[in-house]
């Protein structure tokens, strides 16, 4: 079974500072990896995903993540935090075939931006 | 473009009462559909998925059931709610990213239903 661990349920950064949200996964097969963002009382929005190929993945809103197989990590970063980045972020790994992905999610990291 | 709807947005129900949550998808046909639950302080857990009308797979044993009476309709039900059924229920489907072709097919989520069982 696949699993995801997100280190730090709450992260606070100052506006303009680097954002780093950590995600480690376990998988017996090459994983598909995802980051989703959830704004208050809304559903999840896909930020980025890794399937194959380039290990540095760029997503929306200036976020990117790097797949490191040796470390089984897929950390999410953004060079400069903006107030609008305050939300909850979920890392996920997929099971199943492409087109019928069954996602296993981490417990989430709530990001707070300090003015 | 494709959209996914869920209703109601919020629901407060007494223990032992029945439940019916509805999810519909527009702008696509024969989508794979998913129900997830987000319990307080926990990540999202996949409850059910469906690859077609009448085809339901359950991922975890529980007090809930799902049905897919139409191609773009996915319903989550319970005959008698438990306190532990409280949570945020999200429906999702797989499709192409609108305006972002580099994402490929992936899961897109509805706005969710927040259920409180008292």
């Amino acid at each position: 079974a696949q699993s995801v661990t997100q280190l730090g349920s709450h992260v606070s950064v100052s506006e303009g500072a680097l954002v780093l949200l950590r995600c480690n996964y376990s998988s017996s097969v090459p994983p598909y990896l995802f980051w989703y963002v959830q704004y208050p009382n809304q559903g999840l929005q896909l930020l980025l995903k890794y399937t194959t190929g380039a290990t540095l993945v760029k997503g929306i809103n200036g976020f990117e993540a790097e797949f490191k197989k040796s470390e089984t990590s897929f950390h999410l970063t953004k060079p400069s935090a903006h107030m609008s980045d305050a939300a909850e972020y979920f890392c996920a790994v997929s099971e199943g075939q492409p087109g019928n992905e069954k996602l296993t999610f981490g417990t989430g990291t709530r990001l707070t931006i300090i003015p | 473009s494709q959209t996914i709807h869920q209703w109601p947005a919020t629901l407060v129900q007494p223990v032992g009462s029945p439940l019916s949550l509805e999810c519909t998808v527009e702008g696509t046909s024969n989508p794979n559909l998913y129900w997830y639950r987000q319990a307080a302080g926990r990540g999202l857990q996949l409850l059910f998925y469906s690859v077609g009308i009448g085809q339901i797979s359950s991922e975890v044993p529980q007090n809930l059931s799902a049905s897919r009476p139409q191609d773009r309709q996915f319903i989550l039900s319970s005959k008698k709610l438990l306190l532990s059924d409280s949570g945020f229920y999200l429906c999702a489907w797989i499709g192409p990213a609108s305006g972002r072709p580099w994402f490929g097919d992936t899961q897109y989520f509805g706005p969710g239903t927040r259920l409180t069982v008292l």
Side-chain angles (χ1 to χ4, degrees):
Chain A
Q2 301 184 345
S3 66
V4 173
T5 301
Q6 290 184 242
L7 298 177
S9 58
H10 292 84
V11 171
S12 296
V13 301
S14 297
E15 189 175 14
L18 171 71
V19 175
L20 171 61
L21 304 182
R22 299 178 185 275
C23 172
N24 289 86
Y25 70 91
S26 67
S27 175
S28 58
V29 299
Y32 284 13
L33 295 160
F34 307 77
W35 276 100
Y36 283 85
V37 60
Q38 184 180 31
Y39 297 102
N41 297 314
Q42 294 187 28
L44 276 69
Q45 178 182 0
L46 179 67
L47 276 178
L48 50 80
K49 66 185 286 189
Y50 167 81
T51 54
T52 59
T55 57
L56 182 62
V57 181
K58 294 187 183 298
I60 62 173
N61 301 339
F63 284 94
E64 61 183 33
E66 186 172 9
F67 170 60
K68 292 187 176 180
K69 183 178 179 180
S70 61
E71 300 178 7
T72 60
S73 68
F74 190 58
H75 302 332
L76 182 70
T77 60
K78 182 174 180 178
S80 178
H82 190 273
M83 295 301 295
S84 61
D85 294 328
E88 189 149 21
Y89 292 79
F90 291 92
C91 182
V93 62
S94 74
E95 300 179 359
Q97 298 299 316
N100 187 24
E101 299 162 344
K102 294 184 285 183
L103 297 176
T104 299
F105 285 86
T107 52
T109 297
R110 185 169 300 277
L111 176 65
T112 300
I113 309 299
I114 303 167
Chain B
S1 64
Q2 302 90 348
T3 56
I4 182 168
H5 302 280
Q6 287 186 246
W7 63 90
T10 59
L11 190 60
V12 180
Q13 291 285 94
V15 169
S17 63
L19 173 74
S20 180
L21 303 181
E22 189 163 346
C23 168
T24 60
V25 182
E26 295 179 357
T28 186
S29 60
N30 196 30
N32 288 351
L33 297 172
Y34 304 79
W35 275 113
Y36 288 85
R37 176 171 59 200
Q38 184 180 22
R42 304 183 66 178
L44 282 82
Q45 180 183 36
L46 178 63
L47 302 177
F48 301 96
Y49 72 94
S50 171
V51 299
I53 296 174
Q55 300 179 64
I56 308 294
S57 296
S58 174
E59 290 296 299
V60 293
Q62 59 200 301
N63 183 45
L64 303 169
S65 62
S67 62
R68 187 165 175 179
Q70 301 180 37
D71 181 43
R72 290 171 288 176
Q73 184 184 33
F74 202 22
I75 297 172
L76 185 70
S77 305
S78 174
K79 292 182 178 178
K80 290 185 177 182
L81 283 169
L82 306 173
L83 287 174
S84 57
D85 292 324
S86 293
F88 193 41
Y89 288 82
L90 290 159
C91 181
W93 73 286
I94 281 188
S98 177
R100 301 188 180 99
W102 57 91
F103 275 172
D105 284 358
T106 194
Q107 286 194 29
Y108 295 94
F109 288 80
T113 295
R114 188 165 300 283
L115 171 66
T116 303
V117 182
L118 302 176

